[in-house]
Amino acid sequence: MQFVDKDLKSVQEARILVESARDAHVLLKEYGQQDLDRVIDKLMSGILIEIPELVDLEIAETKAGVKQDKLKLFEEFLPILEDKLKNQKVIGSLKENSKNQIETIGVSLGVVAVLLPTENIILNSLYATLIAIKSGNTVILVPQPRTEKVVARFYSKVAHICKEAGLPQGAIGYMENTADEGVTQILAHPDTAIVIDIGVPKYFDNNQVVNKPMIYGGTGSTPVFIDHTADVAQAAKSVVDSRSFDNGLLPAAEQFVLAEGVVSNDVKAHMKESGAYFMSDDEEKKLLGSLFLDEDHVNPLFTGQSAVWLAKHSGFSVPEDTKVLVSEKPYIFDENPFTNELKCPILTFYVEPDWMHACEKCIRLLKTKRNGHTLAIYSTDENVINEFALKKPVGRMIVNGPASFSSIGLNSTLPVSLILGGLTTGRGFISKNVVAEDLTYQRDIGYTKPNIRNNVQVQEVTQERDISADKELLAKVLKKIMDQ
């Protein structure tokens, strides 16, 4: 039997994937927006019946998240996304002038490489595939090694539906043998047009994205401030429900709660009523001892687990209805591991004397580990809201709503998206919610207009020439007179 190292297989597979996607994109250039929309319609209707099975497989493989929450997210997210995509024009003629001349054209980029996270794999894979198709691009899905089986099942379903809908062979691909060498080959390949990194920072931090535009969309560590003008009961419940949804796996889920001093006791009381458990110092030490492998690395087994599970596996017990574990801190410790990005239902609670101190604390929390791309605030004071909006180094701010839901466009004015740009974390070139248009560029057409100034200059030159001719004629006449 012949054995081949996985890294070598991964490199060869990477080349084939990119080249196949490149060739498919050549064919895809001939598709109009209506052709692509028909593929999306068939994909959306065809994949819906497969989602429960795919979610079951995802949870079985990753042991993370909550099935009911994931299905609920699909039910709420997909109809809004479908409605957004339905009549949207992304490629082809986007704008014409009064003479029916094309002024702006949307152009696809080519091969899109998507580095998938280890959480919410199905929804992230589906969203990335949909916006790639919508924008006329081909897509390569790159899973984490432990999620290859899940992405393989998703790919088999989606590829079959898209082939039946008329998409070229190779337009959608996935990496079967995921190894760093193969991933690097995809990122560095000259035919890879753009990279979408959904929460896999090592490829960016290790400079493995070579001369490629990259969109980064991590989970983030979101601070939320509750001031004295807020509906405290509603705010506390909203934070706990948002942070505990799918065991904290949604992007932009709250991680830090800052309460204004005059309402801090009420905030704590309402959080406890909503399912928050404030840990003792001893319980917190036990949690930290299990949660972190070292100072900066979270034990992956704790990702997407419930608050009750986290406590049990750390050696202490909490009520069965506990939704989140809370660490209360007087101020930010430089060595506090809770400032790391956490993908589980844990919150850190701070009390601030007023909104100005809270404003500065939010900035410090966002900059400590540079993980925050989103901020939330509960307040009815427009001046305070505006001050936060003007000064915070984030790509989006949620006002009086759950950060995890509102940030992805559910019940908010933000664009519906699963990929939240992380420019403010120092990664990627986009800070906003990533949508199909971000996988295109716009070609502007300029038409020459009659140049009035040039006409004037021509007339002036003509006049100068006429005067010169008159001078010559006059000189001839004078000479003739003198000769006589």
Side-chain angles (χ1 to χ4, degrees):
M1 182 180 293
Q2 185 179 8
F3 293 94
V4 180
D5 290 340
K6 185 176 181 179
D7 57 347
L8 296 178
K9 291 175 65 177
S10 184
V11 169
Q12 183 60 34
E13 182 187 6
R15 292 171 181 160
I16 294 172
L17 282 170
V18 176
E19 289 165 7
S20 298
R22 174 201 62 198
D23 295 343
H25 182 249
V26 173
L27 300 175
L28 209 56
K29 288 180 180 179
E30 302 302 318
Y31 287 50
Q33 190 69 77
Q34 290 183 344
D35 301 318
L36 298 172
D37 288 348
R38 280 193 290 270
V39 175
I40 289 176
D41 288 342
K42 290 185 180 296
L43 177 55
M44 291 286 272
S45 59
I47 200 65
L48 283 176
I49 59 175
E50 308 288 351
I51 285 175
E53 177 193 338
L54 292 169
V55 169
D56 280 338
L57 178 61
E58 178 180 325
I59 292 177
E61 290 295 307
T62 64
K63 307 293 190 298
V66 182
K67 178 181 179 179
Q68 292 79 4
D69 288 351
K70 291 184 186 297
L71 292 177
K72 181 180 179 182
L73 183 60
F74 270 103
E75 291 173 2
E76 294 188 10
F77 184 84
L78 289 185
I80 299 175
L81 177 62
E82 185 176 20
D83 184 65
K84 171 67 176 176
L85 295 176
K86 186 168 292 183
N87 298 313
Q88 185 185 26
K89 192 104 183 215
V90 178
I91 64 166
S93 175
L94 303 180
K95 180 182 177 183
E96 296 181 356
N97 60 22
S98 58
K99 298 180 180 179
N100 295 324
Q101 295 173 317
I102 298 175
E103 289 190 337
T104 305
I105 298 171
V107 185
S108 61
L109 296 177
V111 180
V112 180
V114 181
L115 306 181
L116 294 168
T118 55
E119 63 276 350
N120 285 321
I121 308 158
I122 301 302
L123 190 53
N124 277 299
S125 298
L126 180 58
Y127 180 72
T129 301
L130 286 169
I131 63 172
I133 295 173
K134 178 70 180 182
S135 53
N137 295 289
T138 55
V139 61
I140 299 173
L141 302 174
V142 182
Q144 300 299 297
R146 59 184 285 208
T147 64
E148 288 173 352
K149 185 177 179 180
V150 181
V151 179
R153 183 74 62 86
F154 169 82
Y155 168 78
S156 67
K157 304 285 187 183
V158 170
H160 175 73
I161 295 171
C162 290
K163 182 179 179 181
E164 293 291 315
L167 213 60
Q169 185 75 23
I172 301 173
Y174 91 102
M175 175 165 269
E176 184 177 356
N177 300 285
T178 306
D180 285 344
E181 293 81 2
V183 176
T184 302
Q185 181 68 33
I186 289 178
L187 302 184
H189 198 290
D191 289 318
T192 299
I194 189 169
V195 177
I196 302 178
D197 186 334
I198 309 178
V200 193
K202 69 175 183 177
Y203 293 112
F204 183 88
D205 296 343
N206 296 337
N207 297 316
Q208 291 178 300
V209 182
V210 184
N211 296 325
K212 293 285 188 297
M214 191 192 86
I215 294 172
Y216 186 87
T219 300
S221 302
T222 300
V224 52
F225 173 55
I226 303 173
D227 85 352
H228 70 280
T229 68
D231 182 335
V232 172
Q234 183 268 333
K237 184 178 187 307
S238 177
V239 169
V240 172
D241 290 346
S242 176
R243 182 54 169 162
S244 61
F245 186 88
D246 201 23
N247 289 342
L249 293 182
L250 283 188
E254 298 86 343
Q255 188 165 321
F256 312 108
V257 178
L258 295 86
E260 191 169 6
V262 293
V263 294
S264 60
N265 289 333
D266 288 340
V267 172
K268 287 180 63 175
H270 285 296
M271 286 180 66
K272 290 177 180 178
E273 289 176 4
S274 300
Y277 181 85
F278 283 73
M279 296 179 288
S280 67
D281 290 342
D282 183 60
E283 290 168 337
E284 186 176 308
K285 289 178 182 177
K286 290 180 179 179
L287 175 63
L288 291 175
S290 302
L291 180 63
F292 286 89
L293 299 175
D294 55 45
E295 184 178 345
D296 292 320
H297 295 89
V298 178
N299 186 340
L301 297 178
F302 281 61
T303 296
Q305 302 302 329
S306 69
V308 175
W309 189 98
L310 295 174
K312 180 180 178 180
H313 285 75
S314 299
F316 63 97
S317 60
V318 296
E320 287 299 316
D321 61 350
T322 299
K323 292 183 176 180
V324 296
L325 302 178
V326 184
S327 167
E328 185 171 2
K329 297 293 182 186
Y331 52 85
I332 298 176
F333 296 91
D334 292 336
E335 70 280 3
N336 182 12
F338 285 130
T339 56
N340 287 284
E341 182 182 81
L342 299 177
K343 299 177 183 180
C344 49
I346 297 174
L347 289 167
T348 305
F349 185 86
Y350 299 96
V351 177
E352 295 300 319
D354 51 50
W355 70 266
M356 289 177 287
H357 285 83
C359 189
E360 294 303 317
K361 177 68 71 63
C362 284
I363 293 175
R364 283 193 61 195
L365 288 168
L366 289 164
K367 290 185 175 181
T368 297
K369 297 287 184 177
R370 295 200 75 182
N371 287 329
H373 50 55
T374 302
L375 170 77
I377 181 172
Y378 289 87
S379 174
T380 57
D381 188 327
E382 291 297 330
N383 290 326
V384 172
I385 294 171
N386 289 339
E387 285 295 321
F388 269 71
L390 288 168
K391 293 183 179 180
K392 296 301 168 292
V394 291
R396 64 202 53 77
M397 188 176 90
I398 307 302
V399 180
N400 295 322
S404 59
F405 305 120
S406 299
S407 63
I408 62 175
L410 298 181
N411 300 317
S412 78
T413 56
L414 293 176
V416 58
S417 173
L418 255 292
I419 305 171
L420 308 184
L423 173 65
T424 55
T425 69
R427 301 185 181 102
F429 69 92
I430 285 179
S431 63
K432 68 185 190 68
N433 288 18
V434 178
V435 294
E437 296 98 318
D438 297 314
L439 303 183
T440 68
Y441 71 88
Q442 291 191 356
R443 180 182 298 140
D444 293 327
I445 313 300
Y447 296 92
T448 304
K449 295 181 179 179
N451 195 321
I452 298 174
R453 179 171 176 78
N454 286 345
N455 290 342
V456 171
Q457 291 174 342
V458 170
Q459 291 174 4
E460 290 174 349
V461 171
T462 302
Q463 291 174 355
E464 289 176 0
R465 288 177 178 174
D466 291 341
I467 292 173
S468 298
D470 292 342
K471 287 180 178 179
E472 292 177 4
L473 178 61
L474 180 60
K476 291 179 179 178
V477 172
L478 290 174
K479 185 177 184 300
K480 187 176 183 179
I481 293 172
M482 292 177 67
D483 289 344
Q484 292 176 349

